[in-house]
Amino acid sequence: MKKIIKKFFWNWILNPRLDINDKQKVIKKDKEIFDNNIFDFDYIPDPYIWNKDANIYLLLANPWVSTDNKNDIKFQKNDYCKQVMLNNLYNNSLNNKYPFYYLDNNFLWHWWYKWWNKCFNFLIKTIWISKQKISNSFFCLEFYWYHSISFKINKGILKSDKVEYTKFLLEQAIKDKKIIIVVRSVKKWFELVPGLESYKDCYFLSHNREVEIRNTTLSPVWYKKVLDILSK
């Protein structure tokens, strides 16, 4: 019973996603913390791409936008895509086939569709892992929720209590013995969750610019563990 109460407390009371909706795309208190010149608040934030059954976690810095980012805002005028993203914030997937929704062809023209398909390209085209299988196997966590092209890190941002829910999700992943791949902002993730650095299934990519999950970016042992999960 205590575990159920704690889960409810974190999911529905402490999760600050409840401050966000179609018209309010930024948590109110964050406007006082974040510089509008750093983050673009025209977008629905992507703090995570939710799939409670996923066994592989990818840790990134924050959602990117392309240099022609205003064209990407078109997706928010698409009722289906917009609802998928809002439901994701409430841990209520609208797309059961593609819970990792940027692999869904409905997002075909979106910048993140291109980026994530490139990330999983080797698994899809060389190992022949289906997009649906990948979508059900990966969970993405972003350290910062809001979109940007690039920004200079402000140390004060880390003190925001809004990262507490992200911290909770990552601590739960460690308890549940998930595979965790730190893609970007390694030091900040270690600072957020001290136990992550010593966690035996915490892995790293060999480089973090051209992000791709493949045999040349993960060590042979780590790569095999990822394939073992995708082969089940």
Side-chain angles (χ1 to χ4, degrees):
M1 180 60 70
K2 289 183 178 180
K3 290 184 178 180
I4 294 175
I5 293 174
K6 182 180 180 181
K7 184 176 181 180
F8 173 83
F9 181 74
W10 277 97
N11 278 350
W12 298 107
I13 297 178
L14 292 187
N15 187 350
R17 76 199 188 291
L18 296 176
D19 292 344
I20 299 171
N21 54 53
D22 183 24
K23 295 181 180 179
Q24 178 68 36
K25 297 183 178 69
V26 55
I27 296 171
K28 294 178 181 178
K29 291 184 178 180
D30 283 348
K31 286 186 177 180
E32 302 171 3
I33 301 174
F34 296 150
D35 184 345
N36 285 4
N37 294 322
I38 295 175
F39 294 106
D40 190 333
F41 295 140
D42 289 332
Y43 293 83
I44 297 172
D46 268 335
Y48 42 71
I49 302 180
W50 184 268
N51 178 11
K52 64 182 178 61
D53 297 320
N55 287 309
I56 306 171
Y57 280 54
L58 300 175
L59 308 186
L60 281 77
N62 81 298
W64 286 8
V65 292
S66 59
T67 53
D68 59 346
N69 60 329
K70 294 304 176 184
N71 290 328
D72 291 343
I73 295 178
K74 291 187 297 184
F75 87 92
Q76 293 188 72
K77 296 180 180 179
N78 180 305
D79 289 339
Y80 172 79
C81 294
K82 180 169 60 178
Q83 196 58 52
V84 165
M85 295 193 70
L86 290 173
N87 279 18
N88 174 71
L89 289 172
Y90 285 82
N91 309 342
N92 180 22
S93 178
L94 178 68
N95 189 338
N96 293 323
K97 185 176 181 180
Y98 292 102
F100 204 106
Y101 47 82
Y102 283 124
L103 296 182
D104 183 346
N105 285 340
N106 284 296
F107 288 81
L108 180 64
W109 45 268
H110 192 274
W111 162 256
W112 271 107
Y113 177 92
K114 299 173 185 176
W115 195 91
W116 281 113
N117 273 270
K118 185 176 181 180
C119 176
F120 297 123
N121 182 63
F122 181 80
L123 298 177
I124 295 169
K125 294 186 176 180
T126 304
I127 309 300
W128 296 96
I129 305 294
S130 71
K131 283 188 180 181
Q132 187 174 356
K133 180 66 176 179
I134 291 172
S135 182
N136 282 282
S137 301
F138 283 88
F139 187 123
C140 173
L141 273 176
E142 300 279 4
F143 195 93
Y144 302 104
W145 294 26
Y146 303 102
H147 295 72
S148 70
I149 295 176
S150 63
F151 63 90
K152 183 178 180 180
I153 299 296
N154 180 345
K155 293 182 179 180
I157 293 176
L158 187 58
K159 298 178 181 179
S160 170
D161 60 359
K162 303 310 177 185
V163 300
E164 286 301 314
Y165 187 70
T166 300
K167 179 180 179 181
F168 167 75
L169 291 175
L170 188 50
E171 288 174 338
Q172 285 298 117
I174 293 174
K175 289 179 181 178
D176 294 338
K177 299 180 180 180
K178 308 286 189 178
I179 284 180
I180 298 173
I181 302 175
V182 187
V183 180
R184 293 197 170 106
S185 298
V186 176
K187 291 182 179 179
K188 290 191 173 295
W189 285 112
F190 284 171
E191 182 180 351
L192 181 66
V193 180
L196 178 62
E197 187 171 5
S198 59
Y199 178 54
K200 67 180 183 65
D201 283 321
C202 177
Y203 311 148
F204 310 90
L205 295 184
S206 59
H207 54 82
N208 63 9
R209 284 209 172 270
E210 296 297 326
V211 176
E212 188 172 2
I213 307 300
R214 58 177 299 156
N215 57 348
T216 57
T217 59
L218 288 167
S219 76
V221 174
W222 297 348
Y223 177 68
K224 182 179 184 305
K225 286 192 175 184
V226 169
L227 282 190
D228 286 346
I229 288 177
L230 294 174
S231 300
K232 292 180 180 178

